[in-house]
Amino acid sequence: MNPELFMSLTGVLGSFLGTLAGIMINSKLMNYRIEQLEKKVDKHNKVIDRVYSLEKHTAIIDEDIKVVNHRISDLELYHK
């Protein structure tokens, strides 16, 4: 095998391996970043769910307060 062909094949093989290694490293990095973003989204969604639950609970409490106030008003009118 002549030296020029050997050097050319070595260069092509080196380029191929370097490119493949870069792609693999980039893929691992992207997967890691996506995983971290998914964790942040999960945290955010949990907060949204808790806020929704609190708002629903607050609405129920507000309705209970209205009922109690109405009953108090009725009792005050009844006892006068």
Side-chain angles (χ1 to χ4, degrees):
M1 181 183 284
N2 69 18
E4 291 84 17
L5 182 60
F6 179 73
M7 291 301 291
S8 298
L9 290 176
T10 305
V12 169
L13 183 62
S15 296
F16 175 74
L17 292 176
T19 302
L20 185 62
I23 290 171
M24 290 174 60
I25 290 170
N26 190 30
S27 176
K28 286 182 181 180
L29 178 61
M30 290 300 288
N31 287 337
Y32 173 77
R33 293 185 72 193
I34 288 171
E35 185 178 308
Q36 296 305 311
L37 286 172
E38 287 173 346
K39 287 179 183 178
K40 286 182 181 182
V41 168
D42 287 341
K43 278 184 180 179
H44 175 74
N45 288 342
K46 287 177 185 175
V47 169
I48 295 298
D49 290 341
R50 289 195 323 242
V51 168
Y52 175 75
S53 176
L54 288 172
E55 287 175 346
K56 189 168 79 170
H57 183 70
T58 302
I60 292 169
I61 297 294
D62 287 345
E63 188 62 33
D64 289 345
I65 289 172
K66 286 179 186 177
V67 169
V68 168
N69 284 336
H70 183 67
R71 286 182 180 176
I72 290 171
S73 296
D74 288 346
L75 288 172
E76 287 174 347
L77 288 176
Y78 179 71
H79 287 316
K80 283 188 180 182

